[in-house]
């Protein structure tokens, strides 16, 4: 699968309720959650930085939302995403990824 750099520019902003529902689904499936942030979301030139440590056993989506809000407060001009990873035999595979924050000042991807 290739990622077109225009995809983030057309991404619909997710509501807090939608984010909570997706986090609850990841919790129900037993997936670990990883919060990452990056100044630019261009997959060709940038790595995403980890926020805190992976949340391996989230008991409540509110815990993850608290960490997302803390990341938003610390990095308001960064893109923030949450990856849900399935843990199996020492490997972690990304099963879901949510772009939960994009900078208001950037109308286009990577601008």
């Amino acid at each position: 699968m290739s990622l077109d750099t225009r995809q983030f520019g057309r991404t619909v902003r997710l509501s807090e309720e939608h984010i909570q529902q997706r986090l609850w689904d990841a919790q129900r499936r037993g997936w670990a959650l990883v919060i990452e942030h990056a100044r630019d979301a261009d997959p060709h030139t940038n790595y995403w930085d980890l926020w805190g440590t992976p949340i391996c056993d989230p008991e409540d989506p509110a815990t993850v939302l608290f960490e997302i809000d803390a990341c938003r407060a610390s990095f308001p001009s960064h893109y923030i995403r949450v990856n849900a990873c399935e843990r199996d035999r020492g490997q972690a595979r990304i099963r879901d990824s949510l772009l939960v924050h994009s900078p208001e000042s950037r109308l286009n991807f990577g601008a």
Side-chain angles (χ1 to χ4, degrees), residues 14-66:
L14 301 176
S15 68
E16 290 298 316
E17 294 80 22
H18 187 92
I19 292 170
Q20 280 182 332
Q21 181 63 31
R22 300 276 292 269
L23 295 176
W24 180 84
D25 186 51
Q27 172 196 359
R28 185 179 57 81
R29 295 171 187 256
W31 294 343
L33 299 170
V34 179
I35 300 170
E36 298 177 319
H37 62 93
R39 182 180 178 133
D40 292 317
D42 186 351
H44 304 293
T45 61
N46 192 341
Y47 290 101
W48 291 71
D49 295 315
L50 184 65
W51 171 261
T53 59
I55 304 168
C56 294
D57 295 316
E59 296 178 9
D60 184 13
T63 305
V64 182
L65 289 173
F66 176 80

Side-chain angles (χ1 to χ4, degrees), residues 24-108:
W24 180 84
D25 186 51
Q27 172 196 359
R28 185 179 57 81
R29 295 171 187 256
W31 294 343
L33 299 170
V34 179
I35 300 170
E36 298 177 319
H37 62 93
R39 182 180 178 133
D40 292 317
D42 186 351
H44 304 293
T45 61
N46 192 341
Y47 290 101
W48 291 71
D49 295 315
L50 184 65
W51 171 261
T53 59
I55 304 168
C56 294
D57 295 316
E59 296 178 9
D60 184 13
T63 305
V64 182
L65 289 173
F66 176 80
E67 291 297 327
I68 291 169
D69 289 338
C71 188
R72 283 178 181 154
S74 295
F75 300 101
S77 64
H78 286 202
Y79 292 88
I80 300 172
R81 72 180 177 189
V82 177
N83 293 324
C85 304
E86 179 183 26
R87 299 165 289 163
D88 183 35
R89 299 181 190 161
Q91 298 177 348
R93 292 177 288 205
I94 295 176
R95 293 299 186 185
D96 196 5
S97 188
L98 306 169
L99 185 65
V100 296
H101 178 78
S102 58
E104 293 293 332
S105 62
R106 299 182 189 175
L107 299 177
N108 294 320

